[in-house]
Amino acid sequence: MELPYSLFLSFLLLFICSTSVSPSSSTTDIFTEALLNLKSELTDPQNTLEDWSISPEPDPSQPAIQSCSWPGITCNGNKTSVISIDLSGRILSGSLSGEKLAVFQDLQHLNLSYNSFSGALPVEIFNLTELRTLDISRNNFSREFPGDISLAGMKNLVLIDAFSNSFSGPLPRNLPQVETLEVLNLAGSYFSGGIPPVYGSFRSIKFIHLAGNFLSGEIPPELGNLQTLTHMEIGYNSYEGGIPQQFGNLSAITYLDIADANLSGPIPKVLSNLTKLESLFLFKNQLVGLIPWELGRVVSLTDLDLSDNLISGPVPESFSGLKNLRLLSLFYNSMNGTVPDSVAELPSLETLLIWNNLFSGPLPKDLGKNLKLEWVDVSTNYLVGPIPAKICSGGGLLKLIMFSNNFTGTLSPLVSDCASLVRLRLEDNSFSGEIPLNFTLISDISYIDLSRNNFTGPIPSDISRAANLQYFNVSGNRGIGGTIPTGIWSMQSLKNFSMSGCNVSGEIPAFGSCESVSVIELNDNALSGSLPESISSCRELEWVDFSRNHLTGQIPKGIARLPALSALDLSRNNFTGPIPREFRDSLRLRQFNISFNDVSGPIPSSKVFKSMDQSSFLGNERLCGAPLRPCPGSIGILGSKGTKGKLILVLLLCLGLVVLTALLALGIFHFIKGSRKGHWKMVSFDGLPRFTPNDIMRSFEVSEPIPTPQGPVSKAVLPTGITVSVKKLEWDSKRMEILSGFITRMGEARHPNLTRLLGFCHNREVAYLLYDHLPNGNLGERIGAKRDWREKRRVINGIARGLCYLHNECFPPIPHGDLKLNIVVFDENMEPRLTEFGFRYLARFNSGSSQIGTTEKGPGEFSGAIKEQLEMDVYNFGEIIIEVLTNGRLASAGDSIHNKPKEVLLREICSENAGSIQEEVQLVLEVALLCTERPASDRPTARDALKLLSEHKSLRK
């Protein structure tokens, strides 16, 4: 039967149309379309998803799902479904839409780690019931982790890794519904509240990491029910109470870390039941009592860290059974007794850290005979005797730290020939004999401190062979004598050379190619000759001390040109000639002392020298200029020796008599006017003309109020046009003498990083303090402004220098008392200056809220309570560092920053400081962490903090 012609044409047309459809117009599969939509919503600065595109020409050999061949995408065997999405480490950012993920119902693995995703985590992820692993670590997801949805349908999920994000709110309580979950990592976010007791009902959990959050409350004893758990980290939070006794039931646990968690109470004896435990970290808590004898039964232990607690008593003898122990860290406790001989018998011991305890007696004589000992730190105890002869017999000892004990004897040949050593600290002991270090053999050593001992004989002549030596200090060994080794300055790595008080004689060697040295301390010796002009080649020099020697000649001009020089002490020598004028251009010089020489001529005219104390220049009879007496040329206005000069002198004397008469009349007037409140008196310090109280009071009448959080401050313009900031203090007349004496000490404080107190005007009831007015605002107003890393370092170091001057250069020290962002003001060069230092102390003492006052030492000096004020200043400085590093994001974070792992903080801060060097950021962050330590006795002094910041050295031993 033939088809009708019209029907034939219809079929033919349909065939032609069906075969001529363009491939580009074909419908994209739902998976590829979802991934393209996801790509369009993300920021991809490195174009890592460039290959995520559709080819205009179809390839018949390719699967139906075009995205199966894309990077990071894995499909199932027959290429009909996407089972894995891996976008890790692509520096992607943006928020995720749950709608784009809903199509991946067969998805088994989702990895978004090491990116910058933000916003809420889409709840639709937990509808993907085939999902086995979810890794969103190291991102910036925020808000609450989905905790109110049912997860009963997640029958395959094994891993949830959300480490290092910004989640907040409570820990999700629904996670135990996932019966297959083995790994849970929620560390490094901002979760708060307690650990849910329901977390003790996980069926298959092996790994839990909740550290570095803001968790609180008691640790739930229900966690002891986790029979499958092998690894638990819940430290770096702030709990209440102690370690639950139920933790003795964690029969499978191999790794337990509850460090820095505010734990209290004793270490439970039941931890000895954990027969598989390999690593136990309980450091930085408030644990008390003895170390349980039973802990020696846990023979599987390889790492035990109980440092920084309140533990007392001896090291248990039972520790002799810990044959697998590699790390024994007990430092910073109150442990006592002798170090048992059994410690030396541990065959696997690599690291022994027992510093800052109360241990006494000698060290075990066989310590080190095993072949694995690498790090020994027994410093700051009451240990005696010699260095164990076998300390380095294994040939692997890297660090030997024994300072601040009562050790005696000589350096054994095993120490002097210990080729593996990189760090040797024996300072503050009673060692004697020569220094037999074989630098040809120990060529890798980088740090040597033998100061404050009784060593004799010269420094070994082969010291220049120590190519990696950075720090060398033998100060305080009077018997060393000899001369400074030639070639010492040319050592390629040397940064610190300290040989003070060693009875060294001879001349200072030429500096040659002095490229790396930043600190030279040769004070209190018998050096003679001149200071070599070649010191100008030491371009990295920051701190130089040649005081108390017999040096002669002129001060080299080249030393004034050193770009990094911040401190120079040449006092008590025999230098002659002028102070080089080049010091006027020294930008970083903060401390300068040439007292008790024979230097002459004018002191260079610069702000740096004008701000220095007179004591830096005393003992040079022919020296003049600020801050000493004016130079003769500065009064040339009186004319020559002729008649004209004499006439001008007479006129000036007459004018002076007229002024004196006027002042006397004015004083009588004010005596009558101010009889009720007593005389108004004016005390001027360096930098303020001799105004009368009337001048000051008339200026106040037109003063402008300045709103500040510290109290009433006004701006006033004095008769000469000087603008000052005025701070008012109402005082008790009974305390007036003591307070005015303290204000005088405040006014004598002069430093480039302090705002000058110019003077004060007072009667018996009130005082007005006059400060330099700096119109460039304060740090609180500018904390959100963008600063490069170099500028931030300048601000932090400037604050540190000002605080160090108040605490360590003033005697008695002056506490700031109210250090915060708004107190840091900027001068015309945008240098930071501390203002209103000491004022809060004045107010507290005047109100009677402080017991600090006069002591047996004398008027105006302090009782012991000042220590608390100084420690609080250091704490506040640490908080300021954190605010500067985070552009104000972390305010008043002195306590909370200790609850986050350091590596998380470092990563966050580095991301906020473009152009910074991670090592420098880490250094500054470590200083901030030290300054905000609790208890306060753990904090460094302001001088130590400045030295750590200035010397760019690691804080770790």
Side-chain angles (χ1 to χ4, degrees):
M1 178 179 176
E2 295 183 2
L3 290 173
Y5 183 69
S6 60
L7 185 60
F8 172 75
L9 289 177
S10 299
F11 277 113
L12 182 61
L13 182 61
L14 180 62
F15 174 77
I16 293 172
C17 291
S18 64
T19 58
S20 63
V21 175
S22 171
S24 61
S25 65
S26 62
T27 304
T28 306
D29 64 88
I30 58 173
F31 303 106
T32 300
E33 183 177 1
L35 290 171
L36 287 174
N37 289 335
L38 176 63
K39 174 184 175 182
S40 67
E41 295 179 353
L42 300 179
T43 300
D44 183 10
Q46 296 191 356
N47 205 20
T48 61
L49 301 180
E50 181 181 10
D51 294 335
W52 280 25
S53 60
I54 301 174
S55 175
E57 298 294 334
D59 185 351
S61 65
Q62 292 297 318
I65 300 177
Q66 300 178 53
S67 53
C68 285
S69 61
W70 291 356
I73 305 300
T74 304
C75 294
N76 58 3
N78 56 13
K79 309 297 183 182
T80 58
S81 183
V82 174
I83 61 172
S84 176
I85 300 176
D86 186 352
L87 301 180
S88 59
R90 296 174 182 264
I91 319 181
L92 304 172
S93 60
S95 57
L96 294 180
S97 171
E99 298 175 359
K100 304 299 185 296
L101 300 173
V103 300
F104 300 100
Q105 289 301 310
D106 296 324
L107 194 68
Q108 298 176 16
H109 306 282
L110 178 59
N111 190 344
L112 307 175
S113 63
Y114 288 93
N115 284 292
S116 298
F117 292 117
S118 57
L121 183 68
V123 296
E124 288 83 357
I125 288 178
F126 297 99
N127 294 328
L128 307 177
T129 56
E130 297 299 318
L131 199 63
R132 292 181 54 80
T133 62
L134 172 62
D135 190 347
I136 57 171
S137 61
R138 294 175 173 84
N139 278 284
N140 197 29
F141 287 109
S142 58
R143 306 178 192 174
E144 291 191 8
F145 195 97
D148 297 329
I149 59 175
S150 174
L151 301 180
M154 306 294 290
K155 302 293 186 181
N156 302 289
L157 189 59
V158 174
L159 177 146
I160 297 177
D161 190 349
F163 174 76
S164 189
N165 277 277
S166 297
F167 291 110
S168 58
L171 290 171
R173 298 176 179 272
N174 54 357
L175 295 181
Q177 298 175 15
V178 185
E179 296 184 356
T180 54
L181 192 64
E182 296 180 2
V183 176
L184 175 61
N185 191 342
L186 299 178
S189 270
Y190 302 98
F191 289 109
S192 58
I195 299 176
V198 70
Y199 275 28
S201 62
F202 282 107
R203 295 287 186 88
S204 308
I205 201 73
K206 296 179 179 178
F207 181 103
I208 288 182
H209 193 358
L210 307 176
N213 284 288
F214 294 134
L215 301 178
S216 57
E218 294 186 354
I219 298 175
E222 288 83 354
L223 294 181
N225 298 331
L226 301 175
Q227 298 297 303
T228 59
L229 189 66
T230 61
H231 185 115
M232 179 160 64
E233 294 181 66
I234 57 175
Y236 296 97
N237 288 290
S238 186
Y239 303 114
E240 298 173 6
I243 303 171
Q245 292 289 326
Q246 290 80 355
F247 273 27
N249 300 326
L250 296 170
S251 56
I253 196 83
T254 62
Y255 189 103
L256 179 59
D257 186 344
I258 325 178
D260 196 1
N262 197 41
L263 297 175
S264 57
I267 300 172
K269 296 180 180 180
V270 293
L271 294 184
S272 63
N273 297 337
L274 309 181
T275 56
K276 296 182 180 180
L277 188 63
E278 297 176 359
S279 299
L280 178 60
F281 298 103
L282 301 176
F283 60 86
K284 204 172 184 181
N285 282 292
Q286 306 293 321
L287 299 172
V288 299
L290 305 177
I291 298 176
W293 182 91
E294 293 80 359
L295 207 56
R297 297 174 181 170
V298 188
V299 295
S300 55
L301 268 178
T302 60
D303 302 286
L304 178 61
D305 194 339
L306 306 178
S307 61
D308 201 354
N309 278 285
L310 303 173
I311 298 171
S312 56
V315 177
E317 288 285 351
S318 62
F319 276 18
S320 60
L322 301 178
K323 303 300 184 182
N324 297 303
L325 197 64
R326 297 190 305 247
L327 166 68
L328 179 58
S329 180
L330 305 174
F331 68 84
Y332 226 131
N333 279 289
S334 299
M335 299 184 67
N336 54 28
T338 60
V339 180
D341 291 338
S342 57
V343 170
E345 303 299 326
L346 300 177
S348 302
L349 191 65
E350 298 174 359
T351 302
L352 175 63
L353 307 176
I354 60 171
W355 53 276
N356 211 336
N357 276 285
L358 305 173
F359 290 115
S360 58
L363 289 174
K365 61 183 179 61
D366 289 333
L367 184 64
K369 77 174 184 179
N370 69 76
L371 302 181
K372 296 185 179 181
L373 198 60
E374 297 178 357
W375 185 357
V376 175
D377 190 340
V378 299
S379 57
T380 322
N381 280 286
Y382 297 94
L383 299 168
V384 299
I387 299 175
K390 300 178 182 180
I391 193 72
C392 196
S393 61
L397 187 63
L398 299 173
K399 299 180 182 181
L400 179 59
I401 303 174
M402 308 176 71
F403 66 84
S404 296
N405 280 283
N406 297 310
F407 289 116
T408 55
T410 61
L411 298 186
S412 67
L414 277 175
V415 173
S416 61
D417 296 338
C418 190
S420 56
L421 270 181
V422 297
R423 202 169 186 86
L424 177 64
R425 296 192 61 179
L426 306 179
E427 69 265 30
D428 194 18
N429 279 287
S430 298
F431 289 113
S432 57
E434 294 188 350
I435 302 174
L437 296 177
N438 187 343
F439 288 104
T440 303
L441 183 63
I442 57 173
S443 56
D444 290 333
I445 198 159
S446 63
Y447 194 108
I448 297 176
D449 195 337
L450 308 178
S451 61
R452 302 191 301 282
N453 279 283
N454 299 312
F455 288 114
T456 58
I459 297 174
S461 58
D462 64 345
I463 187 174
S464 59
R465 294 182 178 271
N468 298 307
L469 187 62
Q470 298 181 19
Y471 184 99
F472 184 78
N473 190 348
V474 292
S475 297
N477 289 279
R478 285 286 176 187
I480 286 182
T483 59
I484 301 171
T486 57
I488 190 73
W489 313 124
S490 300
M491 295 176 64
Q492 60 185 17
S493 301
L494 187 66
K495 296 183 181 300
N496 189 110
F497 183 80
S498 298
M499 204 173 176
S500 303
C502 291
N503 201 26
V504 179
S505 58
E507 297 189 357
I508 299 172
F511 287 89
S513 58
C514 174
E515 297 179 355
S516 62
V517 180
S518 60
V519 175
I520 297 176
E521 294 175 322
L522 287 168
N523 52 292
D524 198 14
N525 282 295
L527 296 171
S528 58
S530 61
L531 182 57
E533 189 71 45
S534 56
I535 195 172
S536 60
S537 65
C538 304
R539 307 296 289 175
E540 298 297 321
L541 264 182
E542 298 179 15
W543 187 286
V544 179
D545 192 347
F546 290 119
S547 63
R548 296 178 183 273
N549 281 284
H550 308 301
L551 299 175
T552 58
Q554 296 193 2
I555 300 172
K557 294 181 180 179
I559 200 171
R561 299 191 186 102
L562 295 176
L565 188 65
S566 62
L568 176 63
D569 194 342
L570 304 176
S571 62
R572 297 185 183 275
N573 279 283
N574 299 310
F575 286 108
T576 57
I579 300 174
R581 297 178 60 187
E582 288 78 4
F583 276 115
R584 294 182 304 181
D585 303 319
S586 184
L587 300 178
R588 298 187 59 182
L589 190 63
R590 296 293 179 267
Q591 298 181 42
F592 182 83
N593 192 345
I594 58 162
S595 60
F596 300 100
N597 281 280
D598 192 21
V599 179
S600 59
I603 297 172
S605 178
S606 70
K607 291 184 178 179
V608 173
F609 286 101
K610 288 181 179 178
S611 65
M612 290 181 180
D613 191 79
Q614 291 185 358
S615 60
S616 298
F617 305 96
L618 295 177
N620 295 280
E621 296 298 329
R622 294 181 293 167
L623 196 62
C624 60
L628 300 180
R629 58 184 174 81
C631 292
S634 63
I635 56 174
I637 190 173
L638 295 179
S640 62
K641 297 181 179 180
T643 305
K644 183 178 178 180
K646 295 179 181 179
L647 179 60
I648 294 176
L649 181 59
V650 171
L651 291 175
L652 288 175
L653 290 174
C654 293
L655 180 60
L657 288 174
V658 172
V659 172
L660 184 61
T661 303
L663 289 175
L664 182 59
L666 189 60
I668 295 172
F669 171 75
H670 277 284
F671 173 79
I672 298 172
K673 183 178 179 180
S675 58
R676 292 186 178 180
K677 296 184 177 180
H679 294 293
W680 281 102
K681 294 183 179 180
M682 182 65 212
V683 179
S684 299
F685 305 125
D686 183 31
L688 185 69
R690 300 295 177 179
F691 293 116
T692 67
N694 189 48
D695 294 329
I696 303 299
M697 301 309 294
R698 279 192 287 114
S699 300
F700 291 171
E701 294 175 1
V702 293
S703 62
E704 301 177 21
I706 304 173
T708 72
Q710 288 78 45
V713 178
S714 297
K715 181 175 73 173
V717 181
L718 301 182
T720 58
I722 296 176
T723 302
V724 295
S725 295
V726 184
K727 187 86 171 176
K728 181 180 179 181
L729 174 68
E730 295 182 355
W731 60 18
D732 186 338
S733 60
K734 295 179 181 178
R735 294 186 170 95
M736 182 180 69
E737 182 178 352
I738 295 175
L739 291 175
S740 60
F742 183 69
I743 295 174
T744 300
R745 287 183 44 229
M746 291 165 55
E748 293 171 350
R750 289 290 185 265
H751 189 273
N753 294 108
L754 297 179
T755 302
R756 292 186 303 173
L757 176 59
L758 299 172
F760 68 105
C761 183
H762 70 93
N763 62 17
R764 296 182 63 83
E765 295 184 3
V766 66
Y768 293 98
L769 280 64
L770 314 180
Y771 293 89
D772 265 334
H773 177 65
L774 302 179
N776 286 332
N778 60 60
L779 185 56
E781 298 168 346
R782 296 173 174 270
I783 192 63
K786 289 187 177 180
R787 290 187 177 87
D788 61 25
W789 175 243
R790 188 173 182 179
E791 186 177 359
K792 287 185 177 182
R793 279 301 302 265
R794 183 172 59 82
V795 170
I796 292 170
N797 286 1
I799 298 171
R801 285 192 292 266
L803 194 62
C804 177
Y805 179 85
L806 292 173
H807 287 197
N808 301 107
E809 302 299 327
C810 299
F811 183 80
I814 299 176
H816 188 288
D818 195 27
L819 189 60
K820 49 190 170 185
L821 294 182
N822 301 81
I823 288 296
V824 181
V825 296
F826 294 97
D827 63 15
E828 64 275 9
N829 297 317
M830 296 307 294
E831 275 289 326
R833 292 181 180 236
L834 304 183
T835 189
E836 300 185 25
F837 50 88
F839 189 85
R840 177 62 65 90
Y841 161 75
L842 285 172
R844 287 174 181 166
F845 176 62
N846 183 54
S847 66
S849 60
S850 173
Q851 298 302 312
I852 306 173
T854 55
T855 69
E856 295 178 359
K857 297 179 180 180
E861 296 193 14
F862 297 82
S863 67
I866 193 175
K867 182 180 179 183
E868 182 180 345
Q869 297 281 339
L870 301 179
E871 290 170 342
M872 198 63 209
D873 280 353
V874 172
Y875 179 88
N876 291 337
F877 173 56
E879 290 198 324
I880 287 177
I881 293 178
I882 294 298
E883 291 191 69
V884 172
L885 292 180
T886 63
N887 300 316
R889 177 174 60 84
L890 295 179
S892 302
D895 290 329
S896 61
I897 59 172
H898 291 274
N899 295 326
K900 290 182 75 72
K902 189 184 297 182
E903 63 272 14
V904 176
L905 271 174
L906 183 60
R907 179 178 64 84
E908 292 177 354
I909 292 173
C910 282
S911 67
E912 293 176 305
N913 291 274
S916 61
I917 301 173
Q918 181 167 329
E919 291 181 358
E920 287 195 17
V921 176
Q922 184 173 0
L923 170 71
V924 177
L925 176 59
E926 286 181 353
V927 173
L929 292 171
L930 282 176
C931 290
T932 53
E933 282 281 10
R934 293 190 186 277
S937 57
D938 293 351
R939 299 170 196 159
T941 64
R943 172 176 283 169
D944 290 338
L946 174 60
K947 189 172 184 180
L948 293 168
L949 288 168
S950 300
E951 293 185 357
H952 296 250
K953 292 180 179 177
S954 172
L955 305 183
R956 296 194 178 279
K957 292 180 180 177

